[in-house]
Amino acid sequence: MLAKRIIPCLDVKGGRVVKGMNFVGLRDMADPVELAKYYNQSGADELVFYDITASAENRDIFTDILKKVAGEVFIPLCVGGGIRNLDDFDRVLKSGADKVSVNSGAIANPDLIGAAAKKYGDQCVVLSMDVKRVDGKFKIFAKGGRENTGLDAMEWAVRGVGDGAGEIVLNSIDTDGVKNGFDLEMLDALAARVRVPIIASGGAGKMEDFAELFAHDGIDAGLAASIFHTKQVDIRDLKIYLKSKGVEVRI
């Protein structure tokens, strides 16, 4: 059995790590380089770096900060934000990323996933989906959760995997920052449709939420931000707890 992964996420805006609720109300949290150093030492399996306003502001990702973050971590680093073409993939990978996360860029250019997978390999391409319920249906949102694309989230996931995405990050806007648990209904719906690793994002509030998450088939990793940033949950303590619950993790 593959070990389940615990992944902290750095949402970066204006060179600082921020966090909000349901993708709004952002507040300053910390310096991304210092947090990256902390997570590298705290037992995290991977680290995600999102430049959360790059797409909405139609600009390139902050590679200067990214390079500093990459210099502090020796665990896999996944980077997203403002990824619109293969040149963006190339620049981010050369700045120290191991994987590249695409969201709005793939919506604007659906051929991007296939082209990137062909050039860099499926394992390098992560499809990040910001999903919200609209009239009871799961819909894809773009530009940091600001714009409803009208796309059906599950159909979009199937297409992305078919084109070569090697992994999916499912960000539930409905549960983001609420801390009442992961969006298990949404995650189950996705796991029933694709056969690539799924990273659950949005809603973690306590250790028990991760245990409940990993009781569901097809979920490979749990991603969280504020509960780790504020040290409300320590990653090593979380892994010891999960191990005690029969969840395979790397300690």
Side-chain angles (χ1 to χ4, degrees):
M1 180 188 296
L2 287 175
K4 302 298 186 183
R5 289 172 287 155
I6 303 299
I7 305 175
C9 176
L10 307 181
D11 292 322
V12 178
K13 179 183 181 184
R16 297 285 294 175
V17 175
V18 297
K19 194 67 190 92
M21 183 182 293
N22 306 127
F23 280 38
V24 296
L26 299 176
R27 64 188 188 279
D28 185 88
M29 297 289 290
D31 172 69
V33 180
E34 289 304 311
L35 262 189
K37 189 185 300 185
Y38 165 70
Y39 287 130
N40 186 67
Q41 298 166 349
S42 70
D45 294 297
E46 296 184 17
L47 182 65
V48 169
F49 177 109
Y50 285 142
D51 185 341
I52 62 170
T53 57
S55 292
E57 295 170 2
N58 197 33
R59 60 165 171 78
D60 294 336
I61 199 165
F62 292 124
T63 50
D64 53 340
I65 299 170
L66 173 56
K67 287 175 182 174
K68 291 176 183 175
V69 166
E72 296 294 343
V73 298
F74 301 95
I75 52 178
L77 176 63
C78 178
V79 178
I83 307 297
R84 293 180 290 270
N85 51 51
L86 291 182
D87 287 342
D88 293 329
F89 263 81
D90 193 58
R91 187 173 61 258
V92 167
L93 290 168
K94 285 178 178 173
S95 295
D98 300 287
K99 304 176 186 177
V100 181
S101 173
V102 289
N103 187 336
S104 297
I107 294 165
N109 175 16
D111 294 331
L112 178 58
I113 290 174
K118 185 175 181 181
K119 184 169 183 179
Y120 300 108
D122 293 11
Q123 79 289 340
C124 181
V125 183
V126 179
L127 175 60
S128 179
M129 309 196 313
D130 295 337
V131 184
K132 186 175 183 178
R133 290 167 179 79
V134 179
D135 297 327
K137 300 198 182 295
F138 300 128
K139 295 295 182 180
I140 291 284
F141 278 65
K143 296 181 179 175
R146 296 170 179 82
E147 180 183 293
N148 182 4
T149 66
L151 292 168
D152 178 273
M154 302 305 143
E155 291 176 5
W156 179 244
V158 169
R159 174 174 179 167
V161 171
D163 286 346
E167 196 166 61
I168 291 178
V169 177
L170 179 61
N171 310 297
S172 171
I173 297 174
D174 295 324
T175 60
D176 174 70
V178 178
K179 298 186 180 180
N180 283 337
F182 291 96
D183 198 328
L184 299 173
E185 178 193 26
M186 191 183 287
L187 289 159
D188 286 343
L190 179 61
R193 297 291 298 273
V194 300
R195 291 291 177 267
V196 296
I198 295 171
I199 299 171
S201 172
K206 55 189 184 300
M207 291 187 186
E208 290 81 359
D209 293 335
F210 288 88
E212 189 176 8
L213 172 71
F214 292 135
H216 286 243
D217 291 336
I219 310 303
D220 296 82
L223 180 150
S226 57
I227 63 165
F228 294 148
H229 298 343
T230 60
K231 300 180 173 59
Q232 181 181 339
V233 172
D234 176 83
I235 291 177
R236 279 206 173 83
D237 290 346
L238 172 59
K239 287 187 168 187
I240 291 168
Y241 165 78
L242 290 171
K243 196 90 169 176
S244 75
K245 295 295 181 182
V247 178
E248 185 64 32
V249 291
R250 294 185 195 89
I251 296 181

